[in-house]
Amino acid sequence: MSGFDETLLDDAGETVRVRFVVNGRKVACEVAPRETLVDCLRNGLELTGTHAGCEMGACGACLVQLDGRAVHSCLIFAVQADDAKINTIEGLAESGVIADLQAEFHRRNALQCGFCTPGMLVNAHELLSQVARPSRDEIRDALSGNYCRCTGYEAIVDAIDAVAKARSEDGGPA
């Protein structure tokens, strides 16, 4: 006897039904127990704005809002998010809550190749929902978990800073 457990092979094709509210819509998916939330969103729900980058929670490309908090969807199994409210970059964009951030990123060329942009926007949205007028150092600190290989970050910091100033003058998001 080799010590190999053949019952593990029987479970290899097992799926679990999970339900979420994604971008305001109730959805259900059949997922493997070890399928990550990012893979479920991208492959099962075709929400490809959330990117799978490092798959270790270090780059920030996979950020989504889970029950109102930004999380790395590559580090969460889809089954862990059962019954959760999830907002992806598509949902935040469609709702208009990040329209001013998107416009300022575009105006300041803070989105060169665009791979990191969804995670940057989710992170910026979370920061500005917690701190109305963050300092540039606070913005840099908040972005420390997001990798960008194109912009050098300064344009991104400038964009978030400009939106924070405009929101504080106007009384809130557009």
Side-chain angles (χ1 to χ4, degrees):
M1 195 140 155
S2 67
F4 181 74
D5 186 354
E6 292 185 31
T7 59
L8 293 176
L9 295 176
D10 294 336
D11 295 336
E14 179 184 331
T15 62
V16 177
R17 187 168 187 81
V18 292
R19 291 174 178 81
F20 319 111
V21 176
V22 179
N23 302 329
R25 289 185 348 219
K26 291 181 180 181
V27 298
C29 298
E30 292 290 328
V31 298
R34 297 186 57 82
E35 183 175 343
T36 61
L37 182 57
V38 69
D39 288 336
C40 177
L41 293 170
R42 290 183 58 80
N43 303 329
L45 299 176
E46 298 181 1
L47 295 167
T48 57
T50 302
H51 295 152
C54 68
E55 297 186 21
M56 299 184 311
C59 74
C62 68
L63 286 175
V64 298
Q65 283 188 322
L66 179 71
D67 292 330
R69 297 288 309 193
V71 298
H72 292 90
S73 61
C74 72
L75 296 180
I76 297 173
F77 294 124
V79 295
Q80 291 175 290
D82 192 30
D83 292 326
K85 287 185 179 179
I86 300 166
N87 283 311
T88 67
I89 191 66
E90 291 93 344
L92 294 173
E94 288 169 12
S95 71
V97 297
I98 60 168
D100 53 351
L101 280 166
Q102 290 175 293
E104 200 61 31
F105 268 57
H106 182 265
R107 191 173 86 68
R108 294 182 180 268
N109 199 28
L111 45 76
Q112 291 176 18
C113 86
F115 189 81
C116 72
T117 304
M120 290 284 186
L121 289 168
V122 169
N123 207 355
H125 173 64
E126 171 135 330
L127 171 65
L128 295 180
S129 69
Q130 294 176 358
V131 182
R133 191 61 189 90
S135 68
R136 291 179 69 82
D137 284 341
E138 288 173 311
I139 294 169
R140 284 186 188 94
D141 185 56
L143 296 177
S144 65
N146 292 80
Y147 288 163
C148 176
R149 296 177 185 226
C150 301
T151 67
Y153 298 94
E154 209 55 35
I156 296 168
V157 173
D158 290 344
I160 296 168
D161 188 47
V163 169
K165 284 179 184 172
R167 285 183 180 182
S168 67
E169 291 169 4
D170 295 342

